[in-house]
Amino acid sequence: MSSVDIVIRSHAKDFSWLRHCLAGVRRWCTGFRNVVVVVPRKSEHRLARYGIEADRIVLCADYAEDYLGQQVTKTLADTLTDADFIAHLDSDCVVRRPLTPADLVDDAGHPRILYTPGRYFRRGAPWQTATERFLRQPVTCDYMRRQPLVYPRWIYPELRGHALREHGVELSEFILAQRPLGFSEFNAMGAYAHRYHRDAFTWILHPNSAYDETWTRVFWSWSGITPAVERELRTLGQKPARTEERDVSAEP
């Protein structure tokens, strides 16, 4: 059977979120091989203070601009784990119902990827320009539509190879040269997979500009943990969330 690891890239400023994220994983996630938490070296000394524990804790490089740095780390995920599939979960996202690898990867070994065409957004696909700049190909969809996002390990070196071929630099160098909001690792990966490896994935149309929160409640760490958010975080996941049936259809 294929192995699937959950990889969470975090940093000290988000450790208060990470505690809740890991609690949700422990409560609801089964069948995953390991939970791997990745943090910059300068954040290591604060892990114990927040009680952060995982199957594996990996230290990565420190970055002056960690919004871009965390994207670099995620594009190197295949060097941090030898799992066949890597399920990325952000530390400000909390799993809210039972989740297994079978929910993310189908019986044929195809990761399930949601995508939303630009026509469902008021101003087009949010990361279109940034992703087109990287791929040097037209991009019409957004691929960062839910958490966790799962990809096979073989696609990471391919994406890095694309950076070398098209831009003449390592992918990490390309990312760090962008403005803080000038790159989207999962849109780059999703658009690359959709164009070059369409048959290796199961593509699910998500006809809505809002995130699919069927499995995971998506917060925004930049907004901080307000008293209302704190109450929700403490109660989230204690029982299966009631969700309405969605009409989604696969579209090649």
Side-chain angles (χ1 to χ4, degrees), residues 114-121 124-129 131-132 138-145 186-188 190-191 194 198 203 205 251-252:
L114 270 62
Y115 71 101
T116 302
R119 65 180 180 273
Y120 291 100
F121 299 94
W127 295 99
Q128 181 177 1
T129 301
T131 307
E132 287 181 339
V139 175
T140 60
C141 302
D142 189 281
Y143 298 90
M144 200 165 68
R145 309 309 303 139
F186 292 121
N187 274 293
H194 204 182
R198 193 166 299 189
W203 302 97
L205 174 65
E251 188 174 289

Side-chain angles (χ1 to χ4, degrees), residues 120 204-208 212 214 244-250:
Y120 291 100
I204 302 172
L205 174 65
H206 178 61
N208 196 314
D212 182 315
T214 301
E244 295 181 359
E245 301 231 346
R246 296 178 300 114
D247 182 16
V248 296
S249 59

Side-chain angles (χ1 to χ4, degrees), residues 115-203:
Y115 71 101
T116 302
R119 65 180 180 273
Y120 291 100
F121 299 94
R122 293 182 61 184
R123 300 180 180 178
W127 295 99
Q128 181 177 1
T129 301
T131 307
E132 287 181 339
R133 182 168 59 248
F134 171 69
L135 284 186
R136 289 185 170 168
Q137 298 281 352
V139 175
T140 60
C141 302
D142 189 281
Y143 298 90
M144 200 165 68
R145 309 309 303 139
R146 71 177 175 191
Q147 294 267 345
L149 296 113
V150 62
Y151 283 94
R153 68 176 298 103
W154 54 260
I155 204 167
Y156 298 85
E158 281 209 18
L159 198 71
R160 296 194 293 269
H162 178 86
L164 284 172
R165 290 190 303 272
E166 295 295 327
H167 302 280
V169 297
E170 297 288 345
L171 179 54
S172 58
E173 183 178 344
F174 178 87
I175 295 172
L176 293 174
Q178 307 306 307
R179 56 185 174 81
L181 297 178
F183 190 77
S184 172
E185 72 281 25
F186 292 121
N187 274 293
M189 200 174 300
Y192 179 87
H194 204 182
R195 174 166 289 274
Y196 296 108
H197 296 288
R198 193 166 299 189
D199 292 343
F201 295 80
T202 295
W203 302 97

Side-chain angles (χ1 to χ4, degrees), residues 85 101-112 200-203:
F85 296 93
D103 294 313
L104 305 178
V105 182
D106 67 20
D107 291 340
H110 296 163
R112 296 185 173 96
F201 295 80
T202 295
W203 302 97

Side-chain angles (χ1 to χ4, degrees), residues 3-43:
S3 55
V4 184
D5 279 0
I6 295 175
V7 174
I8 306 170
R9 166 58 158 93
S10 191
H11 58 92
K13 290 182 179 179
D14 278 355
F15 282 178
S16 55
W17 291 95
L18 180 59
R19 288 187 301 182
H20 295 283
C21 176
L22 289 170
V25 170
R26 288 191 294 268
R27 184 180 297 123
W28 293 118
C29 294
T30 56
F32 295 90
R33 189 184 65 170
N34 286 313
V35 177
V36 182
V37 170
V38 187
V39 300
R41 293 187 183 93
K42 63 183 178 182
S43 297

